[in-house]
Amino acid sequence: MTLKERLEFCSICEKRQVDLKTGLVCSLTNEKPTFENKCEYFTKDAEEAERKLTQKLKATGNAKTENGSINPKQNKLWGLLVLILGLVVVLFSLLIGGLMIFTGISFIVKGYHQDKVLRENKQLEEKIS
């Protein structure tokens, strides 16, 4: 185990103590932890463990989600709903945009055809008169 991994245990142990020179130490030895895998004197500080977990959960995400829920299931559900809604809006927008483009082209083509009909009618009128 690395010192950092050991200190993770110590940071939620009731026997933790902060030394201003050394940092987090064991109150039994007044030294940094040296145990491997498990400390025989470890006693979990449930309140501190919960506080640290909540802090880590709140720190996840980005600036847009940092004030959100710390419930992963709720965040995933909201994320999925917003993603689906976004896709529907994009597809709807593309559909509407495509429809508008097609309609615009149809009007332009119709206008050119009408110009042709008017030219042909004018030629006919000139022949008649």
Side-chain angles (χ1 to χ4, degrees):
M1 277 181 114
T2 65
L3 178 60
K4 183 179 177 181
E5 291 170 329
R6 289 184 199 109
L7 288 173
E8 280 291 315
F9 280 94
C10 295
S11 69
I12 59 170
C13 179
E14 290 181 353
K15 295 171 182 67
R16 72 185 179 279
Q17 179 177 310
V18 177
D19 182 305
L20 295 177
K21 293 179 184 175
T22 313
L24 190 61
V25 296
C26 179
S27 64
L28 301 175
T29 63
N30 290 324
E31 293 181 4
K32 294 275 187 191
T34 57
F35 62 88
E36 282 299 324
N37 299 325
K38 188 175 180 181
C39 174
E40 60 183 290
Y41 304 109
F42 178 78
T43 306
K44 184 177 179 180
D45 181 343
E47 188 176 308
E48 181 64 10
E50 183 65 28
R51 186 191 73 77
K52 286 183 71 85
L53 177 60
T54 300
Q55 185 180 30
K56 286 178 183 178
L57 289 171
K58 284 182 178 180
T60 60
N62 60 32
K64 294 182 187 338
T65 61
E66 70 183 16
N67 293 324
S69 169
I70 61 170
N71 180 339
K73 287 182 182 178
Q74 181 181 359
N75 286 328
K76 288 189 266 185
L77 178 62
W78 275 108
L80 185 60
L81 290 173
V82 170
L83 177 66
I84 290 170
L85 182 61
L87 289 172
V88 167
V89 167
V90 166
L91 291 175
F92 184 72
S93 296
L94 290 175
L95 180 65
I96 295 298
L99 185 62
M100 291 174 74
I101 289 170
F102 179 76
T103 302
I105 291 171
S106 295
F107 276 109
I108 291 170
V109 169
K110 183 175 183 170
Y112 278 111
H113 285 276
Q114 288 171 335
D115 279 342
K116 182 180 176 185
V117 167
L118 287 173
R119 278 193 309 273
E120 290 171 354
N121 187 56
K122 185 177 179 182
Q123 288 174 353
L124 179 63
E125 288 291 329
E126 288 174 356
K127 290 180 182 177
I128 293 176
S129 45

